[in-house]
Amino acid sequence: MTISNTPESVVTTSSPHHDSDLNFSVRKRPSAAAVRAVPDSSSMTNTVEAENSGKELADDDVSVRNDRDSAGDGDGDGDGGVESSNNTSNGKDSVEKIGNGENRGPDAAVRFAYRPSVPAHRRVKESPLSSDAIFKQSHAGLFNLCIVVLVAVNGRLIIENLMKYGWLIKPGFWFSSTSLRDWPLLMCCLSLAIFPLAAFVVEKLVQQKYISEPVVVFLHIIIVTAAVLYPVFVILRCDSAVQSGVTLMLCACVVWLKLVSYAHTNYDMRSLAKSVDKGDVLSSSSNIDYPNNINLKSLAYFMVAPTLCYQPCYPRTTCVRKSWAVRQLVKLVIFTGVMGIIIEQYINPIVQNSQHPLKGNLLYAIERVLKLSVPNLYVWLCMFYCFFHLWLNILAELLRFGDREFYKDWWNAKTVEEYWRMWNMPVHKWMVRHIYFPCLRNGIPKGVAVVIAFLVSAIFHELCIAVPCHIFKFWAFIGIMFQVPLVLLTSYLQNKFRNSMVGNMMFWFFFSILGQPMCLLLYYHDVMNRKGKTE
C-alpha cells in the first residue's frame, strides 16, 4: 500500500561544529518524495498519529532539538533511530530509506514529538475566561447550560406550585359574566372617536380662516383635556374590573398623544407655509403638504396606524402578507394565554399570601419581592413581545405601514436613559418631537427638558394605574420619577468603569427585579385595603 504526500517526514542533519548534536526538524508536506508505509495495521496507525502530532508542531512553526540517544547511535534498532553521517544527507534519500522499511519514519516522528525535552509551552496565551479573551471565545456551551438550568429550575417551580395550589386556571379567566358589567367602559372607548372629529373640525375652520391661531390653540387644549378626563370620569363612576379600566385608560392616552401630535404638527406646517409665502423659507427646503393634508382619510389612517407622530404621508409597503399576519396572530393568542396562565397560577397566589411591603418584617417583604420577580419578569417580557412585536407588526402589515422600528435592542442598554430611548420607540419619537426639542427651542436647558419628559410620562403612568384601581397613592408616579436619579447613577457608573455590563445589570436589577414587583405589591394591598374599608 502506498500513501503519497505524507504530511511529515523526519530529516536528520549533523552540525559541523557539534558532532554529538542532532538537529531534528519536522517539516510539513515535503514536495520531493512520497513515503512508502509498511502494509500492516500498526504502521497505518503510527502514520496517522505522526500526521496529527506533526501538524501541531508545524502549525506553531517550532524547530525542536534533541540530543542523540546514548544507547543507540544510529544502530537501526526499533527504537526510532535514524542513520546519520558527517556529510550533509540528502532529504530525498533519507525519506526513501525510511520508506524502505529500514527505519519506520512515522513511528520515529511520534517518539520524537513526545520526548520530555520537547517544549510544552510555546506562546503567550490567555485563559478563555480572562477579561482580555472572554469576548473572543465561543460561549455556546455556557448558553446551553443556562437554558438547561432555567428549564430545570422552572420545572421544579411548576411542580411545587401544582403540589401546593393545584390547578388554578378556570374556564373564562380572561372573560367572565362579570365582564358584562363593564359595558359603560366599552361604550366610552368607542365614543373616543368624537375627539379626533372635533380636532378635524377645528383644523378645517382655521384652514378656511374662520378662527385665529389663539382660538385654535385654545380649542385643541380643550379637546385633548376632555379626551383624558372623560374616561377618568366614567371609570371612577363605574365599579369595573381593573383590567377593563387599564385598557380604557391606555386607549385614552393613545388618543391624547395622537391629538397633540396632530394639532402641533398642523400648527408648525401652517407656520412654515406662512414663512414660504413671506419668502423667509424656500418651499423646497421643507416638506409642506398643508392644507392638502387636512382630510378625513389622512386623519383616520393616522388614528389607527401604529405611530403617535402625525405626518401627511408615511412609508408604505407594496402588499399585505396575509399568511404572515395570520402566523403572527396565532403567536399573539398563544403568548397572551401564557401571560394569563402565569398571572393566575403563579402571581396571584404569591400576591395574595403576601403582606404590605412597607409594613411588617423587612426580610419577609424582600423574600416576597424576589419570589414575585421571576413570574413578573416573564409576564413583562411576554407583554412586550405581544404588544410591541406581534400586535404592532400585525397592525402595520394590515395597514401597509412601512416604518416598523417599534423598539430597538433595549435589552443591551448600558444606562437607564438608553433603555427609555430604545424600548418604546413610538413614545420616544413623540417625546423627542413634541416635548424635548420644543423645550430646547424655547431656551429650556437640556437637563430640565429631560425632567419634563419624565414628568409627562410619570403623570400618564399614574393615570393608567391609579384610576382603574380607584386609588391615588402615586406609586407609579414616584417609580417613573425615580428613573431620573437612576439615569444619573448609571451614566456615572458607565463613565467610571467603561464597562457596559455594570449599567446593564443595574438597569435589570432596579427595573425588573426590584421596581415592578414592589409596585405590584403596593397597589395590590392598597386595593385590598380600599375594598375592605368600603365593605
Side-chain angles (χ1 to χ4, degrees):
M1 180 183 294
T2 301
I3 301 177
S4 60
N5 294 332
T6 304
E8 289 86 19
S9 66
V10 179
V11 180
T12 64
T13 58
S14 61
S15 173
H17 300 290
H18 302 282
D19 286 338
S20 61
D21 293 338
L22 284 177
N23 296 334
F24 292 87
S25 297
V26 180
R27 304 182 183 277
K28 186 176 183 179
R29 294 190 181 277
S31 60
V35 180
R36 300 180 182 275
V38 179
D40 56 7
S41 59
S42 62
S43 177
M44 286 293 296
T45 304
N46 292 333
T47 302
V48 176
E49 292 177 353
E51 180 180 348
N52 294 333
S53 62
K55 281 183 179 179
E56 294 179 0
L57 294 174
D59 289 342
D60 288 336
D61 196 18
V62 177
S63 178
V64 185
R65 298 182 178 180
N66 244 353
D67 292 337
R68 180 186 303 171
D69 197 314
S70 58
D73 197 6
D75 52 358
D77 58 5
D79 199 18
V82 182
E83 286 192 47
S84 64
S85 62
N86 291 331
N87 298 327
T88 304
S89 62
N90 191 308
K92 180 178 180 180
D93 296 337
S94 176
V95 171
E96 289 178 351
K97 186 175 289 185
I98 295 172
N100 289 334
E102 295 182 34
N103 290 299
R104 285 181 290 183
D107 185 51
V110 172
R111 294 175 183 274
F112 168 73
Y114 290 98
R115 293 288 291 269
S117 57
V118 176
H121 307 283
R122 302 183 183 95
R123 291 184 305 193
V124 176
K125 297 181 180 180
E126 293 288 342
S127 299
L129 295 180
S130 63
S131 58
D132 294 333
I134 188 170
F135 294 111
K136 300 177 183 178
Q137 304 289 329
S138 173
H139 300 90
L142 293 177
F143 181 74
N144 292 336
L145 174 63
C146 292
I147 293 178
V148 171
V149 172
L150 188 65
V151 171
V153 171
N154 286 275
R156 185 194 66 82
L157 292 176
I158 292 173
I159 295 173
E160 180 184 6
N161 180 273
L162 291 175
M163 293 174 60
K164 187 174 182 179
Y165 301 108
W167 184 251
L168 299 178
I169 308 300
K170 300 177 182 178
F173 63 91
W174 280 114
F175 302 100
S176 61
S177 59
T178 57
S179 302
L180 299 176
R181 296 181 304 178
D182 299 337
W183 66 267
L185 275 64
L186 176 61
M187 300 304 297
C188 176
C189 186
L190 295 177
S191 61
L192 289 176
I194 297 174
F195 301 102
L197 290 176
F200 171 75
V201 172
V202 171
E203 289 297 325
K204 272 294 184 181
L205 291 175
V206 70
Q207 178 188 351
Q208 301 296 329
K209 298 183 179 180
Y210 290 126
I211 54 178
S212 61
E213 286 294 339
V215 177
V216 173
V217 174
F218 176 74
L219 291 177
H220 276 304
I221 291 175
I222 293 178
I223 292 172
V224 297
T225 304
V228 173
L229 295 182
Y230 169 53
V232 171
F233 175 78
V234 173
I235 293 173
L236 294 179
R237 292 283 295 177
C238 301
D239 187 16
S240 60
V242 176
Q243 296 91 332
S244 302
V246 171
T247 303
L248 176 58
M249 285 307 305
L250 287 175
C251 293
C253 291
V254 169
V255 171
W256 187 89
L257 295 171
K258 285 177 177 282
L259 291 180
V260 169
S261 180
Y262 183 72
H264 195 183
T265 303
N266 283 321
Y267 175 82
D268 187 59
M269 293 177 71
R270 284 196 299 272
S271 300
L272 288 175
K274 293 178 182 179
S275 299
V276 170
D277 294 339
K278 294 180 181 180
D280 297 336
V281 178
L282 296 177
S283 60
S284 60
S285 63
S286 59
N287 184 17
I288 301 176
D289 196 24
Y290 188 85
N292 298 327
N293 63 297
I294 306 300
N295 56 76
L296 280 176
K297 182 179 179 180
S298 174
L299 177 59
Y301 184 86
F302 167 62
M303 295 305 296
V304 296
T307 180
L308 299 175
C309 295
Y310 173 75
Q311 59 191 57
C313 59
Y314 297 93
R316 306 287 293 275
T317 56
T318 56
C319 62
V320 177
R321 298 171 294 175
K322 297 179 181 178
S323 60
W324 183 88
V326 171
R327 289 197 300 270
Q328 305 308 307
L329 183 60
V330 171
K331 293 180 183 178
L332 179 62
V333 173
I334 293 174
F335 279 93
T336 303
V338 171
M339 275 197 301
I341 292 174
I342 295 175
I343 292 173
E344 291 290 325
Q345 188 71 34
Y346 297 95
I347 292 183
N348 284 349
I350 296 174
V351 173
Q352 292 170 4
N353 295 331
S354 64
Q355 298 178 355
H356 198 286
L358 301 182
K359 301 176 183 178
N361 193 336
L362 178 61
L363 289 179
Y364 179 80
I366 295 175
E367 187 271 338
R368 289 288 96 180
V369 169
L370 293 178
K371 187 174 183 179
L372 186 61
S373 63
V374 176
N376 178 82
L377 178 61
Y378 292 160
V379 170
W380 182 63
L381 293 176
C382 287
M383 180 276 300
F384 165 80
Y385 183 71
C386 287
F387 183 78
F388 288 97
H389 183 74
L390 296 177
W391 170 247
L392 292 183
N393 271 289
I394 292 172
L395 196 59
E397 187 67 27
L398 297 178
L399 297 173
R400 295 196 297 115
F401 189 83
D403 186 5
R404 304 184 183 184
E405 190 185 43
F406 305 122
Y407 57 91
K408 293 183 179 179
D409 57 333
W410 55 265
W411 46 87
N412 294 325
K414 298 182 287 294
T415 63
V416 174
E417 182 183 8
E418 283 190 10
Y419 164 75
W420 286 108
R421 285 193 286 106
M422 295 191 297
W423 102 282
N424 189 341
M425 292 305 297
V427 171
H428 170 69
K429 291 177 181 178
W430 188 94
M431 286 287 184
V432 170
R433 194 185 193 205
H434 300 292
I435 297 292
Y436 183 73
F437 279 110
C439 289
L440 296 184
R441 284 193 292 268
N442 285 277
I444 298 176
K446 179 180 177 181
V448 178
V450 172
V451 174
I452 292 175
F454 273 104
L455 181 63
V456 174
S457 177
I459 291 173
F460 280 96
H461 276 80
E462 181 67 23
L463 286 175
C464 290
I465 300 177
V467 173
C469 294
H470 297 264
I471 55 173
F472 293 92
K473 295 286 187 176
F474 296 100
W475 299 124
F477 181 87
I478 295 172
I480 296 299
M481 293 307 296
F482 184 68
Q483 306 297 309
V484 177
L486 280 182
V487 167
L488 301 177
L489 176 62
T490 52
S491 300
Y492 168 77
L493 294 175
Q494 173 67 17
N495 295 330
K496 182 177 181 179
F497 294 101
R498 299 293 179 181
N499 190 336
S500 61
M501 301 298 293
V502 177
N504 187 259
M505 292 177 66
M506 291 284 291
F507 148 69
W508 282 113
F509 177 76
F510 281 106
F511 193 79
S512 300
I513 305 301
L514 181 63
Q516 292 182 1
M518 178 66 74
C519 284
L520 179 59
L521 290 176
L522 289 171
Y523 274 106
Y524 172 80
H525 287 286
D526 288 337
V527 170
M528 291 297 103
N529 292 336
R530 182 186 68 84
K531 289 184 177 180
K533 292 179 181 179
T534 55
E535 293 176 357

